[in-house]
Amino acid sequence: MDIGVLTVPLGGQSLDDTLAYLSDLGVDAVELGCGGFPGDDHLDRQAYLDNEEKQAELEALLDEHDLRVSALATHNNPLHPDDDQAAEADRELREAIRLADQLDVNTVTGFSGLPAGGPNDEVPNWITAPWPTEHADAHEYQWRVADEYWSDLAAHAGAHDVDIAIEMHPNMLVYEPRGLLELRRRTNDRIGANFDPSHLYWQGIDVTEGIRLLGEHDAIHHFHAKDTKVYESNAREKGVLDTAPYTDEADRSWLFRSIGYGHDESHWKDVVSTLRMVGYDGALSIEHEDSLTSAREGLEKAVDVLDRTVFETQPGDAYWAE
């Protein structure tokens, strides 16, 4: 497995400097933002799309630092009820897929998006309970919207031989493993997970069980190495559906944490081992969103933990079982 990094927290420095820094840390792969919430500091999608000279420059830079691209990232809401916002997100996704194809990168990461609760609503609506029954009706409407959109986009991805790795995220239609499998069932196998455990921990989902469930369907296309700590003293008072600002750390029920600060090294060894059991051998792409430390320190501590957990070789023969 490769240790990777989503380079967004290092967007204030050049791509060359970023790659040099990460290579010196022992990182193997980078996930490059090219639109949406991740931005495009390190990969201006429109500048590189259909530009063989720029693409060759990127390839040479990656070779110089002995790094590969695990995925292109463009996280946005292509199901937004505002037509302009939805169209922009759709364009970003389609262009990211085309660019991934041209760069010989096999994965684009993003969100499922979230529709409104009905055709006349103006804002997305995250449905978390089936009652009163208008919420169940709204949820059915949302899946019809998603079915139509993602069936077409999955076909576009298939035409370019690129996988779409969807991050299961709150305030999106797909926020847990069974929802991911439902979207995959309605579309095709190009749709899979960018398995980010950080959003599952606070929901009470067992991460290794989630890996096994999606692994049974070969539905893990990419993996985000990101931790979460639940602070029980706050969660006991207000639960985990927490709308306090992420920067109001002391009042939060949970926080995104650097690898090792939400769950110990033993847990991450279980995560890596379970990924191997289900056949995933790609990048563990570190996503730094820990507000209690700097990006560099968070990344360096995460690399340190993962360096002791990842497998660098293929399994040998089980001679003891013969």
Side-chain angles (χ1 to χ4, degrees):
M1 293 180 188
D2 290 337
I3 297 175
V5 168
L6 175 61
T7 67
V8 172
L10 304 172
Q13 61 190 60
S14 70
L15 179 60
D16 191 5
D17 288 345
T18 295
L19 298 183
Y21 165 66
L22 294 176
S23 181
D24 286 345
L25 287 183
V27 170
D28 308 298
V30 288
E31 181 183 358
L32 299 176
C34 66
F37 292 111
D40 60 0
D41 288 336
H42 289 147
L43 189 68
D44 183 332
R45 185 185 67 257
Q46 293 183 331
Y48 281 85
L49 189 63
D50 300 323
N51 188 327
E52 293 183 1
E53 182 178 351
K54 293 282 287 183
Q55 292 171 18
E57 291 174 1
L58 176 61
E59 183 177 0
L61 196 59
L62 290 163
D63 288 344
E64 177 184 345
H65 297 293
D66 196 23
L67 290 163
R68 71 176 183 88
V69 179
S70 66
L72 304 186
T74 174
H75 296 62
N76 211 329
N77 185 359
L79 307 182
H80 201 288
D82 182 278
D83 289 341
D84 290 339
Q85 291 191 53
E88 180 182 5
D90 175 64
R91 176 175 53 81
E92 289 172 343
L93 264 173
R94 291 178 185 276
E95 290 181 355
I97 290 167
R98 287 180 53 218
L99 180 57
D101 183 9
Q102 293 173 10
L103 294 174
D104 199 25
V105 174
N106 62 9
T107 306
V108 169
T109 60
F111 294 142
S112 67
L114 182 68
N120 299 317
D121 294 353
E122 296 182 353
V123 296
N125 189 340
W126 188 35
I127 307 297
T128 59
W131 190 90
T133 55
E134 60 261 32
H135 296 281
D137 294 340
H139 200 226
E140 290 181 9
Y141 164 79
Q142 291 179 323
W143 272 107
R144 290 196 297 272
V145 172
D147 195 333
E148 180 179 358
Y149 175 79
W150 280 103
S151 294
D152 184 66
L153 195 79
H156 175 69
H160 289 276
D161 198 23
V162 171
D163 290 335
I164 305 297
I166 290 176
E167 185 173 338
M168 298 170 283
H169 196 287
N171 287 322
M172 295 291 161
L173 182 62
V174 171
Y175 59 91
E176 44 75 29
R178 291 192 181 184
L180 190 284
L181 289 177
E182 176 64 17
L183 186 61
R184 182 178 171 91
R185 183 189 69 78
R186 290 169 179 255
T187 54
N188 64 34
D189 290 351
R190 288 295 174 182
I191 302 298
N194 178 25
F195 197 107
D196 187 329
S198 68
H199 307 294
L200 307 185
Y201 288 130
W202 66 262
Q203 293 183 68
I205 295 171
D206 186 298
V207 165
T208 55
E209 291 297 319
I211 291 171
R212 287 177 181 272
L213 174 64
L214 295 183
E216 289 175 3
H217 300 270
D218 293 325
I220 301 176
H221 292 334
H222 197 254
F223 189 92
H224 266 179
K226 182 176 162 192
D227 214 336
T228 292
K229 173 71 174 179
V230 176
Y231 295 94
E232 296 292 348
S233 58
N234 288 334
R236 282 194 295 268
E237 294 177 353
K238 61 176 180 174
V240 294
L241 293 175
D242 196 343
T243 57
Y246 286 121
T247 52
D248 190 3
E249 292 93 351
D251 190 45
R252 290 277 307 169
S253 293
W254 54 270
L255 290 172
F256 297 131
R257 300 305 317 274
S258 301
I259 298 296
Y261 282 81
H263 296 79
D264 64 17
E265 187 172 313
S266 175
H267 169 80
W268 281 96
K269 287 179 178 178
D270 284 343
V271 168
V272 168
S273 297
T274 308
L275 285 168
R276 170 153 284 194
M277 287 179 191
V278 302
Y280 181 81
D281 201 25
L284 309 180
S285 185
I286 299 166
E287 182 182 23
H288 172 81
E289 292 184 349
D290 187 340
S291 60
L292 297 180
T293 186
S294 66
R296 283 188 173 234
E297 184 174 17
L299 289 173
E300 289 167 13
K301 289 183 182 299
V303 170
D304 179 59
V305 174
L306 290 180
D307 191 50
R308 293 191 298 275
T309 66
V310 297
F311 296 108
E312 297 181 355
T313 61
Q314 293 298 318
D317 294 333
Y319 61 87
W320 57 91
E322 296 177 355

